[in-house]
Amino acid sequence: MGWSTQGVAAVFEPPLLHPLHHFGHVELDFSRRIAVMAIVNRTPDSFYDAGRTFALDSAVAAALTAVDDGADWVDIGGVPFAPGPPLDAHEEADRIVPVIQQVRSASPTIISADTFLPAVAERAIEAGADVINDTTGLAYPELARVVADAGVHLVLTHSLAKPRTVYARPAYSDVVTEIVDFLRQRIDVALHAGIAPEKIIIDPGHDLNKNTLHTLEITRRFSEIAELGYPALAAVSNKDFIGETLDLPKPDRTSGSLAAATMCALGGARIVRMHSVTDSVHAMRLIEAAQGWREPAYLKHNMGEINEPAHQPRDTTDA
């Protein structure tokens, strides 16, 4: 594994310890697949949609629409990462468990619960979640035992602050090196708790306790994250680093989000967490086809005597 070049393009092929992953009824081969994770926030104060999917019916509809649009995975959360008052575990579970239940009953798609609380994770897994997406990197170590006992996947994310607290002016001597060290430590914790290595996913935590310069550095050097050998997730969609870099409000960050996701995918990311599902699916499938991992949907251009639609001379005869 390593860097392969064709022409001027370079794509990092991460040295995956376990390329094939099983999520419930879904199997993904991360040596040939870049999964698109759709985002559904059942919160009244979510980062992006400000409560648009807080109602239960809206959250379920958004998740199923994402699946219809080609998402491989739906991430369902009930609490934003941003600093704020803690939410009781019972209330958080009441937000996400009904969504998980209804989506699971309607689709075999991969479902993750975006939570760091062990009690919430237990209820989410019972409802049908295949993955626990912990944005705190096991701030609550008991979560590792819950995941291990259930045999589901765990996303380990780099962040420095205690959950929902402010971390003023984060500073790093080398942000990527420090993230890699952090993730190695958390992987060891997860393995020691009994989580199988083929159930671990890593996430460098774009923007989480990092400024824009830090996050751009992570995006550029994503291959150093992917070199750890576990499928790496890039959660870049509509984040502040895109807005600050391009001077754009959240509704106008789609193109920047796609560019960042593509950079990470070329650097070895195997999951991209995105709001704009259709555009993201198209971008990742094109990368897969260019890499030779999938066939084009069809072949027609320059495959015959003429290209269709064939040029037809204008009929100048009188009617």
Side-chain angles (χ1 to χ4, degrees):
M1 296 294 183
W3 286 95
S4 64
T5 59
Q6 295 183 2
V8 296
V11 179
F12 182 73
E13 298 181 5
L16 294 168
L17 301 172
H18 300 279
L20 199 62
H21 282 240
H22 297 273
F23 304 85
H25 298 291
V26 177
E27 177 182 276
L28 289 181
D29 182 352
F30 286 118
S31 68
R32 304 177 61 84
R33 184 74 167 193
I34 304 168
V36 174
M37 174 196 283
I39 304 164
V40 176
N41 292 314
R42 194 170 183 216
T43 66
D45 54 350
S46 64
F47 163 78
Y48 180 68
D49 60 27
R52 182 176 59 83
T53 54
F54 183 53
L56 176 59
D57 290 348
S58 297
V60 173
L64 295 178
T65 296
V67 173
D68 289 343
D69 288 343
D72 304 283
W73 187 321
V74 179
D75 188 48
I76 300 168
V79 179
F81 178 86
L87 188 69
D88 176 77
H90 181 76
E91 184 177 351
E92 181 185 344
D94 283 349
R95 288 182 180 183
I96 67 171
V97 165
V99 184
I100 294 169
Q101 288 173 329
Q102 292 194 37
V103 174
R104 173 54 66 232
S105 67
S107 172
T109 193
I110 301 168
I111 299 173
S112 56
D114 182 350
T115 186
F116 50 81
L117 294 179
V120 178
E122 285 184 332
R123 288 187 56 188
I125 293 166
E126 291 171 0
D130 307 293
V131 185
I132 299 302
N133 182 14
D134 176 13
T135 57
T136 71
L138 293 176
Y140 292 82
E142 178 66 12
L143 182 67
R145 184 197 61 78
V146 171
V147 170
D149 288 350
V152 298
H153 275 71
L154 175 66
V155 178
L156 289 168
T157 305
H158 175 273
S159 60
L160 298 176
K162 294 181 179 179
R164 306 225 68 197
T165 62
V166 173
Y167 195 96
R169 297 181 182 85
Y172 302 87
S173 58
D174 184 314
V175 64
V176 174
T177 298
E178 291 177 45
I179 288 170
V180 168
D181 290 344
F182 175 98
L183 290 174
R184 280 200 183 103
Q185 294 169 7
R186 293 305 191 268
I187 289 167
D188 287 345
V189 172
L191 293 173
H192 184 74
I195 298 175
E198 63 270 22
K199 297 290 185 179
I200 294 174
I201 294 165
I202 56 175
D203 178 355
H206 284 73
D207 267 10
L208 306 187
N209 309 139
K210 299 151 188 101
N211 64 32
T212 289
L213 297 178
H214 296 144
T215 301
L216 289 172
E217 184 81 357
I218 294 166
T219 304
R220 181 175 66 84
R221 295 169 57 191
F222 200 92
S223 62
E224 295 174 50
I225 309 296
E227 273 189 315
L228 283 168
Y230 298 87
L233 186 158
V236 298
S237 188
N238 296 305
K239 288 196 169 179
D240 286 341
F241 82 98
I242 295 170
E244 291 187 7
T245 300
L246 302 177
D247 191 16
L248 291 173
K250 291 173 189 173
D252 297 333
R253 297 177 187 173
T254 299
S255 57
S257 299
L258 290 170
T262 298
M263 283 187 68
C264 291
L266 296 179
R270 288 298 173 262
I271 306 155
V272 292
R273 185 177 184 268
M274 306 294 284
H275 292 94
S276 181
V277 171
T278 301
D279 290 339
S280 303
V281 169
H282 292 166
M284 297 306 113
R285 299 301 170 258
L286 186 70
I287 293 172
E288 293 169 354
Q291 284 299 102
W293 302 339
R294 65 165 53 239
E295 294 295 322
Y298 64 89
L299 293 173
K300 192 172 183 180
H301 182 73
N302 279 339
M303 296 297 287
E305 296 299 320
I306 58 173
N307 282 327
E308 296 184 10
H311 174 69
Q312 298 293 330
R314 188 173 60 181
D315 185 1
T316 58
T317 60
D318 292 335

